[in-house]
Structures are given as C-alpha cells and as structure tokens.
C-alpha cells in the first residue's frame, strides 16, 4: 500500500479530522436544538410563525408532549377572539393546552403535508382537525391560498416518505402538481412528484433512483428545520415563557356559554344587516349543489384522512355549522346544506374517524362571527368543550354522538 | 513565507492541526452561508372565504 507523499497525507488527515469535528459539532448542535425546542414548545402554542407552521420540528415536539393537543385548522385559529382554543386553554385548566397549527387558507392538502412531515411522531397520538365548510364551496379554491401555505420542506418529507404507501403518495402528488408554481423552482421535488404521479414502471424505477437523493435532502431539511426553530426561539426568547402558568379548575360549560352568548349580540346584528344586503332574489341551490359536488377539497380531505390512517393518528374532526342565517345570505335552502354535511359524515365514517358538525347550532346566528367560518366567542366555547372531551376521552356533548345512518 | 514553511516542515503535527482548522473554517463558512433553509412562504393576498 502506497501511503502517498507526506504533504498529501497530511491534507487527507486534516480533511478527515475537520469532517469528524464538524460532524460531531453538528450532531451536538442538533441535540441542543432539540432540547431548546422541548423546553419552549409549550410556550410556542400561541405562536404562528413560519418556523412553527412551515417546518415540522416544533409540531413533532408538540406531538411528543402529553399535555399538548394539536389543533390543525385555518384562519379561524388566528382570529382575535378571547376564547380561541389557544387562549382558553393557555393555563391548562383541565391539564392540557391546545397547540394550533394553521393560518389563512390552510386547506386539507396543506394540512396533510404538515402531518406527513411529522411522520412517525403522529402514531397513536390525538390531534384535532377543524374543517372549514367554505373550502368546499368552490370547485377549485384560490391557488394563492395553497401557495401561501406551501412548505418545500414538508412537501419533500411527503414525496420521499417511507411511512406512506406509494398509492397515497401518487394521489397526493397528482394534487400537488395542480399547483405548478410551488414546485417549478425545485427540480428534485418536481421530478419526484412527476414520477409518483406518472406511476408507470419507468416512473417507479426513476422514483426509486431518486430516493437516496431525497433522503439526503430530507436529512438536510430536518437539520435546517431544527436550526430555524431554535433561532426563532432565541430571537424571541424574552416573549416565550418556558413554564407557562397552570391554573387547574373545574369548567362550568353552561355558564361559559351563557357568558359568551351575552357578547355576541352586536355581531349577530351586523350579520343580520349583511343578510338584507346580500340575500339573492332567487334560489342558488342548484349551482351551489353542483359546485360542492365538484369541489377538489373533497379529494384533498380524503387524502388527509388516508394520511392520518396510514400514520396511525387518532384524529377528531370538527366542522363549523352552516348557520341558517348564512343560508339566507347565500340564497340556499337547508337541503343544500345537507349535501355538504352528509357527504362529510360519509367520508369520516368510511375511515371510522369521529366528526362533530355542531348541527344543533345551525339556527344560532351567534356561533360564527361572520360568513367565513370564523368562530365567535360563543362558537369557540362549544369547540373548546369538545376538545376538552376529546382530550379526556369523554363522549362528545354535541348531538354528533349519534351519527346519521350510512347510505345504503 | 519560507520561514513559515520551514517551521511547518519541522513541526508536521502542528501543520496538520492548522490545516484541519483551516478546513474546519471552510466547512463552517459553507454551513453558515448555505446551511439555513427557507421556511418562508410566498406572500399572498388573503381573501376571506
């Protein structure tokens, strides 16, 4: 064996030593980052930063905590309402805090990528999913909303996930490719999704050839995610308390509902005024039912449920009631509303996931604060009560304990 | 320059250690420059729905 000239040998030795030291420093740094994440994850519940929503490290850390309940949803989570789940449970009144994930326009396709990015951390864990009916009222929902929620890191995790079946990844890839702006600048992601979507023998072969590169990319992405989360925490560490105050107490739900009902009067009045302006002269049932029937959100919601099943999650699905007053404003009949609620129930039943639709509050104009699926102070109390029941394995108090009969 | 080279040749272990530090600095620089991911989202106009 020729050891080579002394200078070349010293270069190799130095390079090897530098790589070992850098690798050890990186590993130690990542362990430290994860400790910081664990230390601050409770305090990050009310945070809606990109580090939390677009990464997976903080969501994974939250899933690992027994006293945090993750609630995925969209714009209702970020509204300035005093009784939102994150504020209501901020002092762990019954032993847990809600960790919301989502923002404006976070539809099912974006949510499923977030869940897929958490991966095995979801197995056996409870998570609640707030489903906004409004997403189903358009055949194709505004692509800008999906783009505004898109995370390359999460998309990579899904595309190269070893936990999800090829069939599921194929179906998700087909939907993701409907938003080309999100993958145009990333050849590896775009190629992987193309190959998954194509699903021919050649496509499968090429996808398998890309997998090592995808795994390497995911490893780098996870490291970057930990660094980003830690930098975010350290940037704002004065605002995050490591040990938020805890105030265990018995919750009197009927009193809480009564108190909230007293403050929604003005918004109900506002909605009534809007109805007089918006109410169409003719019924819009036909067009509405057609649109709801074709909405791509159904496909995305089913893909989300498949993702949850394959990852072994224990979800609770919640959806806001489509209030009578909203039907009036939109020129719709209760029959049109049933098209949505019954189909959603059929979907949830097919996967054996519990779904609460709060239909007994459809005649309450104070459940939502507007016509855009944003819960009012009162609506949040009902939501919170069911989140509390879900966390403590209690039977739901809404009428949804009795689901409609499945179709023949 | 010749003095430094001569000194390094006379102390090969120190030379290798300094070289390792030099490579480490390069690796650190690369990590700092390109190590951070982009977790931002494109700006979008929120339209209530």
């Amino acid at each position: 064996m020729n050891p080579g000239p002394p200078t070349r040998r010293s270069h190799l030795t130095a390079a090897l030593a530098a790589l070992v030291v850098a690798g050890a420093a990186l590993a130690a740094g990542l362990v430290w980052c994860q400790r910081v994440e664990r230390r601050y994850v409770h305090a990050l519940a009310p945070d809606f930063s990109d580090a939390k929503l677009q990464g997976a490290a903080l969501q994974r850390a939250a899933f690992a905590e027994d006293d945090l309940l993750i609630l995925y949803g969209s714009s209702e989570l970020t509204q300035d309402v005093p009784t939102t789940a994150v504020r209501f449970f901020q002092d762990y009144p019954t032993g847990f805090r809600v960790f919301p994930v989502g923002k404006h326009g976070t539809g099912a396709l974006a949510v499923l990528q977030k869940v897929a990015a958490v991966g095995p951390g979801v197995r056996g864990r409870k998570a609640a999913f707030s489903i906004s009916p409004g997403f189903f009222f358009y055949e194709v929902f505004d692509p800008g909303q999906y783009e505004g929620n898109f995370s390359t890191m999460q998309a990579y995790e899904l595309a190269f996930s070893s936990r999800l079946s090829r069939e599921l990844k194929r179906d998700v890839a087909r939907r993701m490719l409907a938003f080309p702006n999100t993958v145009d600048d990333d050849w590896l992601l775009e190629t992987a999704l193309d190959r998954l979507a194509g699903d021919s023998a050649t496509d499968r072969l090429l996808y398998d050839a890309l997998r090592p590169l995808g795994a390497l990319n995911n490893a780098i992405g996870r490291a970057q995610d930990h660094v980003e989360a830690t930098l975010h925490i350290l940037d704002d560490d004065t605002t995050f308390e490591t040990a938020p105050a805890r105030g265990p107490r018995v919750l009197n739900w009927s009193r809480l509902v009564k108190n909230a009902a007293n403050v929604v009067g003005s918004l109900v009045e506002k909605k009534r005024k809007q109805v007089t302006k918006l109410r169409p002269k003719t019924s819009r049932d036909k067009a509405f039912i057609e649109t709801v029937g074709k909405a791509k959100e159904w496909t995305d919601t089913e893909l989300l449920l498949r993702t949850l099943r394959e990852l072994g999650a224990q979800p609770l699905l919640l959806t806001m009631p489509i209030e009578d007053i909203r039907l009036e404003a939109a020129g719709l009949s209760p029959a049109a509303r049933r098209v949505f609620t019954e189909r959603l129930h059929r979907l949830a039943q097919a996967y054996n996931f519990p779904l609460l639709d709060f239909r007994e509050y459809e005649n309450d104009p104070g459940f939502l604060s507007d016509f855009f699926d944003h819960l009012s102070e009162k609506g949040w109390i009902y939501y919170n009560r069911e989140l509390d029941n879900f966390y403590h394995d209690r039977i739901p108090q809404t009428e949804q304990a009795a689901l409609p009969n499945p179709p023949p | 320059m010749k003095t430094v080279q001569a000194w390094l040749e006379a102390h090969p272990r120190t030379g290798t250690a300094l070289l390792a530090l030099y490579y480490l600095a390069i690796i650190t620089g690369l990590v700092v420059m390109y190590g951070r991911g982009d977790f931002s989202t494109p700006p979008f106009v929120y339209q209530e729905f």
Side-chain angles (χ1 to χ4, degrees), chain A residues 11 54 147-148 224 228 372, chain B residues 23 35-36 39 41-42 44 49:
Chain A
H11 275 280
Q54 305 304 104
E147 289 163 15
Q224 290 174 331
E228 200 64 26
F372 306 108
Chain B
Y23 285 141
R36 285 190 70 175
F39 290 84
T41 51
F44 67 104
F49 55 86

Side-chain angles (χ1 to χ4, degrees), chain B:
Chain B
M1 190 66 189
K2 273 190 175 177
T3 323
V4 173
Q5 205 167 350
W7 188 87
L8 286 173
E9 278 169 13
H11 303 84
R13 286 190 176 183
T14 315
T16 305
L18 287 173
L19 205 52
L21 283 176
Y22 171 65
Y23 285 141
L24 198 58
I26 291 173
I27 293 169
T28 308
L30 287 172
V31 169
V32 170
M33 282 167 67
Y34 303 108
R36 285 190 70 175
D38 180 10
F39 290 84
S40 62
T41 51
F44 67 104
V45 179
Y46 173 56
Q47 295 169 320
E48 289 185 311
F49 55 86

Side-chain angles (χ1 to χ4, degrees), chain A residues 113-186:
Chain A
Q113 288 170 57
K114 293 182 194 308
V115 176
V118 176
V122 171
R123 180 160 296 279
R125 306 300 290 184
K126 287 181 179 174
F129 293 81
S130 174
I131 299 170
S132 296
F135 284 117
F136 300 83
F137 298 168
Y138 299 85
E139 189 175 334
V140 178
F141 201 72
D142 174 17
Q145 306 281 344
Y146 173 76
E147 289 163 15
N149 280 279
F150 181 78
S151 159
T152 306
M153 183 264 170
Q154 293 168 353
Y156 262 106
E157 287 285 348
L158 184 137
F160 291 103
S161 170
S162 56
R163 311 269 169 178
L164 301 175
S165 66
R166 195 186 284 263
E167 291 72 27
L168 175 57
K169 286 190 283 188
R170 174 197 63 200
D171 296 343
V172 175
R174 287 175 181 167
R175 283 293 296 135
M176 289 170 75
L177 288 170
F179 304 92
N181 286 347
T182 55
V183 294
D184 270 354
D185 296 334
D186 200 314

Side-chain angles (χ1 to χ4, degrees), chain A residues 48 50 53-54 73-78 101-106 148-149, chain B residues 41 44:
Chain A
F48 288 98
D50 284 342
L53 303 183
Q54 305 304 104
S74 54
S75 55
E76 71 278 9
L77 302 179
T78 59
V101 178
K103 61 178 184 179
H104 302 311
T106 312
N149 280 279
Chain B
T41 51
F44 67 104

